[in-house]
Amino acid sequence: MLLKNTIFSSFGLIALAMSIEVCAADMAVFDPLIDGDFGALSLQGDIPVALTAARLKQPRAQVPASITVIEAKQIEAWGVRTIPDLMRFVPGMFVGHGDDQNNRAIAYHASSPNIMRRLQVLVDGRSVFKAGIAEVVWDDIPVAMEDIQRVEVVRGPNAASYGANAFLGVINIVTKHPADTQGTRIRFRKGNQGVEDSLVSHSGMVHDDTYRLTFQQNADNGFDGRNATNGEDDWRDSRRHGFTSLYYDHQINEQTQLNWEAAYKYGNTDMRKSDFDLDYPDQMTRQGFVMAKLIHEFNQNHFSHMQVYWQSDRRTQGVHGCSPTTSFDPVLLQEYRANPEWTKFVALGVPSLYADSNTDPGTLAAANYLVGGIATNSLTPEQVEQLIEDNLGVTYDLQQSDLDAAAVAFGNAYNGSDFSQLGQWACGTNDFSVREDRYDIEWQDTVQWAPGLRTVSGMSYRRDSVDSATYFNGAVHNDTYRVFANGEWRALTHLVFNLGGMYETEDSNASAFSPRVAANLLLTQQQSLRLVYSQAVRSPDLLEKKPNYSVLIRDLTDNYLNLEDGVFFMNQVSSTRGLDHEKITSVELGYYGNLPELNLELDVKAYKDSLSQLISNTIALNSVYIASDTKMDVKGVDWQLNWQFSRNNWLWWSGAYVDADVRLGDTRQLDDQEIDRLAKVELRLSAEWSNNVSWHHSGNNWGSTLTYFWHDSYNDFNNSEGDFRRLEVNLTKTWSVQGYKPEVGLLWHHLINDSRLVYPDQAYSVNDIYLFRAGITF
């Protein structure tokens, strides 16, 4: 309570209304604070800087983390369509798809591909990480690639600066200031695989204020599936998404700046059917946000900013489906929590025998004997176990209470002469719609105390709320309070220390403190060795921690239970969960060097990460057992090189070696198939060796970029080759005609081998994908 009062009192005293994690636009105003006397070092000139790691603008040689910085010129040269496509150029980053949702997954070194939940993603300081059902939905981020100024990726835990969920790293997307994009840009992209993208962006001025208004729509048909040929598509994962966004900057006076951002996003994502669906459970999404930030400079050594934003995500998803009438029997709801595998046999296994006209008469006779014996209480648990094992080869551990529940369910299906009604199916409509809202307010203060000492500190309050009849049986929320501080101390001429941490307390999980300690030994002005120790956590989301997850089927067809609405027997409630924070302890030794005489920038990182209390299970209705007890040790080396080897040519090379070892926790409640799946899931996205090399050449108003991707020992569980290779060529040409700048581009994407991305159906039926782009700027 004291912490809450302190936060609200501080917010009240500062009559500001808004701000951001350090961004490029802010720093242009407040460079005098950063460019103080640092002895032999200066930020003037072409010394590369980074903004994200410690919330301070720092020379790359002093940054307390491994950082990858991708600028707008590189985004343009590579011709990428999406942010996940861009992450392929980051060392140690692997891009794939989950198997249960039509959404990209990005992992750093190793992680489950099913939900993108261990990286924090920021857009101009706004977190797009969804805390209700933890994930980043990349299609729902309303930012155009053409509007991005730079992307900074912190490769390693960074909860000390950004809190829980900055677990494996942070992707910080900084958009261009409207003052830098004056005019109008129109672009259109068309290609095979259903690609059809369009963009209109206009930036202008109103008095001394600047603004940018962007409209974008993207569409593609996704993968083709394992059995498709010659460009056919039999894998239903298309998407159509668009948005409108506004960025408005107002300079109040020389010391104060106010920025506003807002967007509305809409889209439709095709989804596959489950075993019980009659039609497709496609998702219709509607999102919006409003954000404001106020930045104030007290003097050249002190400035503060405050940020406030609200965002709302609505996903509408309904489907018609059918299931055995027995699966809606209320007695099985509670039984499922006591003995889930037995309940699935009663609700689905036995009815399938009665519903299938091809069931062997001997098997059906055995089923009649088993069902009748249970319904009349004439069989003991031991006898039932033996009968099932003898006839079906399945082993169950049964108590009398398990048979009592089954007796009620089977008795309800008895029609007076037999149990044939067990083969009856009932159909209806279910609803998986979700609404998520977030309110976030954060204050941050940066002070230069002395030439060699500066700090950044702050506090924040966030409320995440989710409303879903299916996942939570209504509305739930989680309040999070944070205080953080990071300090940079130049102890000696060639030695810089960074010390920081964040303390968080929230409603749904235990409080957590995440520290980081780093030392940078400056070999020269732009070369350093760094040693970093950090710890971080990932908070279980509301669905992991506080589910009330059940599926209500409305408007059921005629059924022997006489139900108009029925609840499917599988369910999950919070009393079945005891999940803890996922934890990571990371140690890294790195080298950064910027060699101006060679126009070469190099970063190498050797690391060892120890992860514990991992939640590796898929969070789904049929996930019988969910625990936070998986452990994983990951060690290896990352490297990246950016070399401007001539005036018109640059080379980008990034790669990683990953050695990961997964150790499962308690597996007593799991069968062999589930144990095998869990042992693989954290490594499905990972390659032991990965490299990408990109060469760009710029001519007279034209450019060409050649990129080669190679992953060795990649996703070894689903393809015999064990590697993934592809080649990309991007060609661009621009003209200048009386103030107009027309442009064209062609991207050729060639799959060198037929390896699947992650799962068998994540494949194209052609090895060549072509994208043609045309546009004009004026």
Side-chain angles (χ1 to χ4, degrees), residues 148-195:
I148 296 175
Q149 178 62 42
R150 60 195 270 140
V151 179
E152 292 191 3
V153 182
V154 180
R155 295 179 287 111
N158 202 13
S161 293
Y162 298 100
N165 308 321
F167 186 73
L168 296 178
V170 176
I171 300 172
N172 185 20
I173 301 164
V174 180
T175 63
K176 298 174 182 176
H177 193 276
D180 299 326
T181 58
Q182 292 294 291
T184 301
R185 169 176 287 186
I186 301 173
R187 278 192 173 183
F188 179 77
R189 182 187 286 110
K190 180 75 173 178
N192 56 350
Q193 305 306 121
V195 172

Side-chain angles (χ1 to χ4, degrees), residues 242-264:
F243 69 84
T244 301
S245 66
L246 172 66
Y247 188 130
Y248 193 92
D249 175 74
H250 174 58
Q251 193 73 34
I252 298 175
N253 54 47
E254 292 184 357
Q255 290 78 36
T256 309
Q257 174 182 327
L258 176 64
N259 296 329
W260 292 90
E261 293 187 50
Y264 173 75

